[in-house]
Amino acid sequence: MIPPDVLDLRARIRTIPDYPKPGVQFRDITTLLGDARAFRRAVDELVQPWAGAKIDKVAGIEARGFILGGAVAHQVSAGFVPIRKKGKLPHETVRIAYSLEYGIDEMEMHKDAVQTGERVVLVDDLIATGGTAEGAVKLLKNMGADVLAAVFIVDLPDLGGADKIRKLGVPVRTLVSFEGH
Ligand code: AMP
């Protein structure tokens, strides 16, 4: 195993100031994804507490959650469930409104993507206010899923998202954190 001091995941994340709008520090994980060892390590670390646990499905949130979620699903030998912005999935869907920093949007998943009682881990790249992940957790729970955990590479703790998800009774795992927005 590569010692954490040699492979610092935080240092593999690029920060773009004032993107997509002034005041936002965009935490760009494409630099981490482009580094083979960092990508592998992030995937391994995300699900490390559940090593050996039975995971039926990994749900990924569009779009960066698809890249990570697909890799995590392969790693734990689980199926993958895409959670998408409304209107993108071709078959019958279930939909939920969720809050964004300004306003609301809707996300959906296929009705038959998760069976009652299935053990699901939710994956996205970053948790900020937690509105997106909260919507996804509720959607999965509404379909009868047992949401084992929600995992993210990046936490922005000042925005309180991880606490919001823990209050829903879902353990949260994050690998690196940054102050502010
Ligand atoms: P939130 O619903 O506020 O927790 O926002 C989380 C979603 O917005 C994730 O899918 C992130 O990819 C994206 N996001 C929010 N803030 C940032 C940021 N500072 N840098 C990169 N992505 C972000």
Side-chain angles (χ1 to χ4, degrees):
M1 196 157 97
I2 304 153
D5 52 320
V6 177
L7 183 46
D8 179 0
L9 291 180
R10 198 172 194 277
R12 299 296 192 282
I13 295 164
R14 175 166 56 193
T15 296
I16 317 280
D18 300 319
Y19 181 88
K21 56 181 190 225
V24 175
Q25 305 259 62
F26 191 85
R27 307 301 177 176
D28 174 21
I29 62 150
T30 64
T31 38
L32 182 151
L33 297 174
D35 179 320
R37 290 197 310 168
F39 187 13
R40 171 174 284 279
R41 188 184 182 94
V43 168
D44 289 347
E45 287 285 334
L46 281 172
V47 286
Q48 187 271 328
W50 297 275
K54 180 171 141 34
I55 300 171
D56 297 304
K57 301 269 168 69
V58 172
I61 302 175
E62 186 173 3
R64 286 170 294 237
F66 288 1
I67 303 163
L68 292 166
V72 168
H74 177 79
Q75 175 74 357
V76 300
S77 301
F80 178 77
V81 175
I83 298 182
R84 301 206 64 178
K85 288 157 191 147
K86 67 170 180 237
K88 304 265 190 168
L89 289 167
H91 195 53
E92 279 182 63
T93 59
V94 283
R95 191 178 282 193
I96 195 166
Y98 66 103
S99 56
L100 296 167
E101 202 175 346
Y102 302 105
I104 59 163
D105 205 347
E106 289 175 292
M107 65 173 80
E108 54 188 23
M109 60 186 260
H110 277 142
K111 243 182 195 164
D112 59 3
V114 173
Q115 311 304 312
T116 304
E118 279 193 315
R119 292 158 61 86
V120 179
V121 170
L122 178 69
V123 179
D124 202 1
D125 65 328
L126 178 148
I127 182 157
T129 66
T132 309
E134 181 182 35
V137 165
K138 287 183 174 168
L139 200 52
L140 289 164
K141 284 190 169 183
N142 288 349
M143 296 314 288
D146 174 6
V147 185
L148 291 186
V151 303
F152 309 84
I153 294 182
V154 182
D155 185 19
L156 305 183
D158 297 346
L159 300 184
D163 286 339
K164 188 183 278 181
I165 302 308
R166 290 189 182 106
K167 283 193 185 120
L168 298 174
V170 174
V172 174
R173 176 160 170 85
T174 61
L175 304 183
V176 303
S177 62
F178 292 95
E179 279 182 5
H181 287 230

